[in-house]
């Protein structure tokens, strides 16, 4: 009989943990990528206004982002395993209820329930997998972990388009239920109890101020496309955000146990790595949504065809993440982060220069694929770089902050892209963009829309280059 060494036993458990956390990312990937493609079908069913259409996506992103740090702290108090599994259950329940939505506002509310469950999963998944793997094998586990998200995003657009075209919009949400139940059961059987952190009070005021600031800037962004930058709502939202940011800094510096411990990010490496993550998220998060709207609104294809057309993005991510994870033992995470950020910028630059109603698909597909490869490379490199640079005692709160910064980028990416895109067309046809029917209107409206897509890709391209610059500045100091 061959004895099992402690290292081998640890790796067996680590890979089982990786399977649990990967199921969590399957849920997140399916929830996002299926709805991004099927949004026009949902909008047509509820006859949603452009404002409501945007908030079907933004409500989830806002609540998820604002509660990530909160649940990172709660997990220290109640147990990381327990909060993680509760997130699976709540996300599954929200998905089930969303399919029974009688109106668009109930659907938006259930998206909020999904968001709370997702925050409980995301705030803890990376910490759980980091503590399970030995430091020298973490890049392998992280590559598989991120690659699973890519696989979910790979299946999501096609699945979302197929469901929207055949089974009905309800199944966009109900498809999450089997995966959620499987993840809850497998996680309960697999994950060991983890030691709880010190019992520190939750920073309720800090959480409330962060939520209010994000709500204000999102409201301003969602209104800017229709009301213009001088709209009273835009000016009020931007003003509230500008007033709350210094207040948040002041409150968090004085709090005994702040939800945003700014002292943890005084070093250049962590500050720049998080800014690079923000830039990459801002550049990549809305790509599938914008591309899917392009194929449905500009080219007039159905949801299934649009889902197939945007597949190069998740294919690129699915290929790049595990390959980069394997290279992580030979190539530094710092170099991988820079390379991934530059690839993302190259893909977006291709789309900016070539997007048009009659552009060859292979050119657009190439731009989407390169951007996807860049995102997969950056995410694996950047996450490994940040998590391996931290002491184990600060993993929970730092990971929560890292995810919140990235999610703020995701939230603003969707709001900014929809605002830039919607601002290029008149108010009488803006609703047709979200419904995916603009190609049936006049050539003038279509030309306006093409201008909107080019402007949107130009903004994302500029942001991606900025993120690459911050990635280059995130070099660890020599010891």
């Amino acid at each position: 009989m061959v004895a099992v060494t402690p290292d081998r036993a640890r790796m067996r458990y680590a890979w089982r943990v990786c399977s649990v956390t990967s199921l969590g990312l399957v849920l997140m990937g399916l929830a996002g990528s299926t709805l991004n493609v099927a949004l026009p079908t949902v909008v047509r069913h509820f006859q949603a206004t452009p404002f409501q259409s945007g908030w079907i996506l933004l409500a989830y992103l806002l609540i998820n982002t604002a509660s990530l740090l909160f649940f990172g702290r709660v997990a220290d108090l109640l147990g990381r395993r327990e909060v993680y599994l509760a997130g699976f259950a709540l996300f599954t329940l929200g998905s089930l209820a969303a399919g029974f939505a009688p109106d668009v506002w109930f659907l938006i509310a259930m998206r909020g329930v999904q968001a709370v469950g997702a925050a409980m999963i995301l705030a803890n998944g990376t910490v759980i997998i980091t503590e399970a793997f030995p430091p020298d094998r973490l890049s392998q586990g992280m590559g598989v972990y991120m690659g699973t998200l890519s696989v979910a995003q790979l299946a999501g657009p096609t699945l979302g388009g197929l469901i929207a075209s055949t089974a009905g919009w309800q199944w966009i949400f109900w498809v999450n239920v089997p995966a959620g139940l499987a993840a809850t059961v497998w996680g309960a059987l697999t994950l060991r109890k983890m030691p709880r952190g010190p019992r520190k009070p939750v920073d309720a005021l800090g959480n409330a101020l962060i939520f209010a600031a994000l709500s204000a800037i999102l409201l301003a962004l969602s209104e800017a496309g229709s009301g213009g930058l001088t709209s009273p709502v835009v000016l009020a939202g931007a003003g509230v955000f500008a007033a709350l940011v210094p207040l948040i800094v002041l409150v968090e510096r004085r709090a005994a146990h702040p939800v945003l411990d700014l002292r943890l990010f005084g070093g250049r490496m962590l500050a720049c790595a998080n800014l690079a993550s923000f830039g990459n998220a801002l550049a990549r998060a809305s790509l599938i949504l914008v591309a899917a709207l392009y194929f449905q609104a500009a080219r007039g294809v159905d949801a299934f065809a649009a889902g197939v057309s945007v597949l190069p993005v998740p294919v690129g991510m699915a290929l790049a993440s595990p390959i980069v994870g394997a290279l992580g033992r030979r190539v530094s995470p710092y170099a991988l982060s820079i390379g991934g950020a530059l690839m993302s910028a190259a893909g977006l630059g291709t789309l900016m220069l070539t997007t048009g109603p009659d552009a060859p698909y292979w050119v657009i597909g190439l731009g989407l694929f390169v951007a996807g490869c860049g995102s997969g490379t950056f995410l694996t490199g950047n996450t490994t770089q940040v998590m391996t640079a931290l002491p184990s005692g600060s993993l929970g709160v730092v990971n929560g902050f890292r995810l919140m910064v990235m999610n703020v980028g995701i939230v603003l990416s969707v709001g900014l892209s929809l605002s830039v895109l919607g601002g290029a067309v008149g108010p009488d046809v803006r609703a047709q963009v979200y419904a995916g029917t603009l190609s049936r209107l006049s050539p003038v409206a279509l030309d306006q829309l093409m201008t909107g897509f080019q402007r949107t890709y130009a903004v994302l391209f500029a942001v991606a280059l900025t993120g690459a610059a911050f990635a280059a500045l995130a070099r660890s100091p020599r010891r």
Side-chain angles (χ1 to χ4, degrees), residues 57-58 60-69 122 207 209-218 221 241 245 248 260 274-286 399-417 460 463:
L57 300 173
L58 292 175
Y60 175 95
L61 296 171
L62 170 64
I63 294 172
N64 179 258
T65 300
S67 55
L68 272 171
L69 279 170
L122 289 173
N207 276 285
L209 289 174
I210 291 169
F211 182 82
L214 287 176
S215 298
I217 193 63
L218 270 183
L221 279 174
F241 176 78
V245 168
I248 290 171
L260 276 178
N274 279 292
L275 287 171
S277 178
F278 172 80
N280 185 265
L282 184 57
R284 82 168 184 273
S286 60
N399 182 59
F401 180 85
R402 182 187 69 84
L403 288 170
M404 195 196 78
V405 168
M406 186 167 61
N407 267 33
V408 169
I410 293 172
V411 172
L412 296 181
S413 178
V414 174
L416 180 64
S417 295
L460 299 182
V463 171

Side-chain angles (χ1 to χ4, degrees), residues 65-66 68-70 73 202-203 205-207 209-211 213-214 244-245 247-265 274 397-398 400-405 408:
T65 300
L68 272 171
L69 279 170
F70 174 79
R73 179 70 73 191
V202 173
D203 180 15
L205 178 58
N207 276 285
L209 289 174
I210 291 169
F211 182 82
L214 287 176
L244 287 178
V245 168
L247 182 60
I248 290 171
V249 173
L250 179 65
V251 168
E252 295 303 275
R253 282 183 173 175
R254 295 185 176 184
H257 303 289
V259 69
L260 276 178
D261 192 347
L262 301 176
R263 294 169 297 179
L264 290 171
F265 307 96
N274 279 292
V397 66
V398 174
F401 180 85
R402 182 187 69 84
L403 288 170
M404 195 196 78
V405 168
V408 169

Side-chain angles (χ1 to χ4, degrees), residues 46-293:
F46 288 110
Q47 297 182 331
T49 65
F51 182 82
Q52 293 169 332
S53 302
W55 279 90
I56 292 173
L57 300 173
L58 292 175
Y60 175 95
L61 296 171
L62 170 64
I63 294 172
N64 179 258
T65 300
S67 55
L68 272 171
L69 279 170
F70 174 79
F71 285 113
R73 179 70 73 191
V74 167
D76 289 334
L77 301 176
L78 303 181
R80 202 163 301 283
R81 174 184 182 272
E82 289 73 18
V83 172
Y84 189 71
L85 295 177
F88 280 136
L90 189 61
F91 186 89
T92 305
L93 180 63
S95 299
L96 181 66
F100 292 105
D103 57 59
V104 69
W105 288 115
F106 183 88
L107 175 63
I108 292 172
M110 290 305 98
R111 291 280 290 159
V113 173
Q114 282 184 307
V116 173
M120 298 167 81
I121 295 169
L122 289 173
N124 296 290
T126 308
V127 178
I128 290 172
I129 197 171
T130 299
E131 294 188 342
F133 277 87
D136 64 328
R137 303 291 293 275
L138 179 60
S139 65
Q140 290 179 287
M142 202 65 71
V144 173
Y145 179 58
M146 294 299 179
T148 306
L149 174 62
S150 305
V151 171
Q153 291 178 328
L154 174 62
T158 306
L159 184 62
L162 182 62
I163 290 172
S165 300
T166 57
W169 68 268
Q170 295 91 339
W171 286 95
I172 296 297
F173 303 100
W174 288 341
V175 74
N176 298 318
V177 174
L181 292 174
T184 304
V185 173
W186 179 234
L189 293 173
T190 301
L191 296 179
R192 300 169 185 167
K193 286 198 172 184
M194 304 173 69
R196 298 182 182 181
R199 287 189 166 273
K200 299 176 182 178
V202 173
D203 180 15
L205 178 58
N207 276 285
L209 289 174
I210 291 169
F211 182 82
L214 287 176
S215 298
I217 193 63
L218 270 183
L219 185 62
L221 279 174
S222 62
E223 182 67 18
S226 56
L229 296 178
T230 59
S231 164
V233 175
V234 174
L235 294 176
V240 169
F241 176 78
L244 287 178
V245 168
L247 182 60
I248 290 171
V249 173
L250 179 65
V251 168
E252 295 303 275
R253 282 183 173 175
R254 295 185 176 184
H257 303 289
V259 69
L260 276 178
D261 192 347
L262 301 176
R263 294 169 297 179
L264 290 171
F265 307 96
R268 189 185 75 176
M269 192 281 285
L270 281 177
C272 290
N274 279 292
L275 287 171
S277 178
F278 172 80
N280 185 265
L282 184 57
R284 82 168 184 273
S286 60
L287 181 56
I288 288 180
L289 171 65
V290 172
L293 286 175

